[in-house]
Amino acid sequence: MENKKEVAIALGYTALMAIGMYVAYHVFGYKYEDKGIVNVLIYFEMIMSIYALTIYLKKYRGSSFKKIEIFPIFIIYSVLIILNTVLFIFHKAYLAYGDTLVTMFITTILIGFSEELIYRGIVLSGLLKNHSKIKAIVYSAILFSLLHAVNIFAAFPLSSVAFQMVNTFIHGVVAAYFAIKLKNIGPLIVYHCLWDLMMLSPVFVAKNVYIVLPVLIFEFVIFIAILWKFGIQKKIA
């Protein structure tokens, strides 16, 4: 099987996250939707960031940090993400997380950094050496989606986990496409951090769907366009 190394790296990262979720709930009593879960996850995210960075520097250095090539769709996506973040910061729900705000901020930085480095910087880069662009994009997105299945270990409802996996698969396809087009995962790390800052605030998201919905819809439209471009037009090489 090709790319065994990249698959093993992704599964190793997933295993670390699974342990983190299990410990957060079964040892400290934090459910996935509890804001205090970041008090536990921050330590696991530190380990996972070191794991991702060590592997990247040893085998994949420079593959995902080249000169950035901006394109129109990415600009629209950037504006939506930044607008969401601004609305979030000035919303009263943001203030409700004051006691864990710094921890949340640090945790989301680590999540954005390590996940993009693993799935777009390492896995996608490796897959592109042996597969067509569409296959590399889809396979990396599947592995990224599987990462979020471990949230069930922190008492996240199965239906919510299933929805999250579908959503992260779509996001994984879009992010991988952007990574290829941009030739740099730096901007993706930034936007991943900003997005997760809101996603770690389930109360805010539940009461303000109108804020996150435009991004989800835009991602879905891009997702369909990507499949059309690579799949239907080229019959998936």
Side-chain angles (χ1 to χ4, degrees):
M1 177 183 175
E2 296 176 325
N3 297 107
K4 286 183 179 179
K5 180 171 64 176
E6 284 79 21
V7 172
I9 290 170
L11 293 179
Y13 185 87
T14 300
L16 289 172
M17 177 62 85
I19 295 171
M21 289 296 175
Y22 184 89
V23 170
Y25 179 60
H26 293 277
V27 177
F28 294 94
Y30 291 119
K31 293 183 179 181
Y32 179 80
E33 295 173 296
D34 294 339
K35 63 178 182 178
I37 195 172
V38 294
N39 293 320
V40 177
L41 291 185
I42 187 172
Y43 298 105
F44 284 91
E45 288 298 338
M46 289 178 183
I47 295 172
M48 293 160 71
S49 293
I50 293 172
Y51 170 83
L53 184 59
T54 300
I55 294 173
Y56 180 81
L57 291 178
K58 281 187 176 182
K59 301 291 183 179
Y60 302 85
R61 182 192 294 268
S63 62
S64 297
F65 291 96
K66 301 177 181 178
K67 183 178 179 181
I68 299 176
E69 297 184 11
I70 302 296
F71 54 105
I73 294 178
F74 183 72
I75 294 176
I76 297 173
Y77 182 72
S78 301
V79 170
L80 284 174
I81 293 292
I82 293 172
L83 179 60
N84 274 346
T85 306
V86 171
L87 290 173
F88 172 66
I89 290 176
F90 286 97
H91 197 280
K92 61 181 180 181
Y94 181 80
L95 301 177
Y97 288 81
D99 57 333
T100 58
L101 205 53
V102 173
T103 305
M104 282 178 61
F105 184 69
I106 295 174
T107 302
T108 53
I109 289 176
L110 295 173
I111 291 173
F113 172 75
S114 62
E115 289 188 7
E116 290 303 322
L117 202 56
I118 287 289
Y119 294 99
R120 262 64 74 177
I122 294 174
V123 173
L124 179 64
S125 296
L127 288 169
L128 285 170
K129 295 178 181 178
N130 300 307
H131 300 282
S132 64
K133 287 182 180 179
I134 186 59
K135 287 184 176 180
I137 287 172
V138 171
Y139 294 161
S140 65
I142 289 173
L143 289 170
F144 181 60
S145 175
L146 288 175
L147 168 69
H148 298 80
V150 306
N151 293 337
I152 199 169
F153 292 126
F156 201 37
L158 183 59
S159 59
S160 297
V161 170
F163 175 79
Q164 191 177 47
M165 289 181 69
V166 171
N167 183 46
T168 50
F169 172 75
I170 293 174
H171 174 80
V173 168
V174 174
Y177 175 74
F178 281 170
I180 292 173
K181 292 282 287 183
L182 289 168
K183 303 184 185 305
N184 192 308
I185 65 171
L188 297 178
I189 291 175
V190 173
Y191 301 136
H192 196 142
C193 294
L194 297 178
W195 183 252
D196 279 357
L197 183 61
M198 289 182 287
M199 292 300 104
L200 282 177
S201 308
V203 174
F204 169 79
V205 173
K207 293 182 178 180
N208 301 277
V209 177
Y210 65 91
I211 292 180
V212 300
L213 196 57
V215 175
L216 297 178
I217 293 175
F218 189 69
E219 281 195 348
F220 183 72
V221 171
I222 297 175
F223 170 75
I224 296 300
I226 292 170
L227 295 186
W228 176 270
K229 176 181 179 180
F230 290 111
I232 297 178
Q233 289 187 346
K234 299 186 178 180
K235 304 298 182 182
I236 304 185

